[in-house]
Amino acid sequence: MSPQNSPFWKQKSLAEMSREEWESLCDGCARCCLYRLEDADTGEIYFTNVHCRLLDTGTGQCTDYPNRSVRVPDCVTITLKELEDPYWLPKSCAYRLLAEGKELPEWHPLVSGDPGTLVSSGQRVCDRTLCEDEADSLENHLIDWVE
């Protein structure tokens, strides 16, 4: 495939992407909407099966995306600055993968051309999570998601 015919994420750096291109990198897996704990000594991230109250578990999208950081102060907006050290993002996250110079996985909707491959590959976690309003201590909800 010639460079002109290759997908935008192979032609452009993250910094060169339009807002629409940037937003399309999100596959809707909802893993970044999960609460996670970080070991203060090692920096290791532990994921939980507890999701933010703004997550629409049917679509894998935020129900108030434009205002999410105001309504949920811990919500992190993924920016180029955040991607300088994306250790806290899931290993399968397109933003993290591209920031680390890696390829998008075959199941990613931009690669497959089918949003259904996210679900059929087991990457969407919405149906296996619990809303923060229904959860007890996060330590009781640690999980090792297959990525």
Side-chain angles (χ1 to χ4, degrees):
M1 182 179 294
S2 69
Q4 308 88 292
N5 295 330
S6 61
F8 72 87
W9 64 90
K10 291 185 177 190
Q11 293 180 37
K12 299 179 179 183
S13 69
L14 288 165
E16 296 170 323
M17 290 182 188
S18 69
R19 179 151 180 84
E20 182 179 303
E21 290 166 337
W22 178 273
E23 294 294 333
S24 73
L25 293 175
C26 176
D27 57 34
C29 73
R31 290 173 192 244
C32 65
C33 298
L34 299 176
Y35 282 88
R36 48 202 164 275
L37 302 173
E38 182 174 354
D39 185 306
D41 296 326
T42 66
E44 187 169 354
I45 301 294
Y46 297 94
F47 284 90
T48 72
N49 65 346
V50 178
H51 67 79
C52 169
R53 70 176 54 90
L54 296 181
L55 177 66
D56 178 332
T57 57
T59 65
Q61 303 295 314
C62 182
T63 59
D64 192 8
Y65 188 73
N67 301 304
R68 68 194 183 283
S69 296
V70 174
R71 292 188 57 194
V72 181
D74 289 341
C75 182
V76 178
T77 300
I78 299 174
T79 64
L80 291 172
K81 179 75 175 154
E82 291 293 329
L83 292 175
E84 288 175 9
D85 189 11
Y87 73 97
W88 58 275
L89 284 169
K91 291 176 182 158
S92 59
C93 175
Y95 297 101
R96 178 177 178 170
L97 290 169
L98 294 178
E100 294 175 341
K102 298 177 181 172
E103 295 287 328
L104 296 182
E106 291 182 20
W107 53 259
H108 193 288
L110 288 175
V111 176
S112 70
D114 177 6
T117 56
L118 174 73
V119 176
S120 64
S121 66
Q123 296 300 314
R124 181 174 280 166
V125 297
C126 298
D127 60 342
R128 298 174 278 165
T129 61
L130 179 69
C131 182
E132 66 180 302
D133 295 335
E134 301 166 9
D136 56 353
S137 175
L138 291 177
E139 289 83 4
N140 294 332
H141 295 278
L142 297 177
I143 190 164
D144 186 16
W145 297 103
V146 175
E147 295 190 70

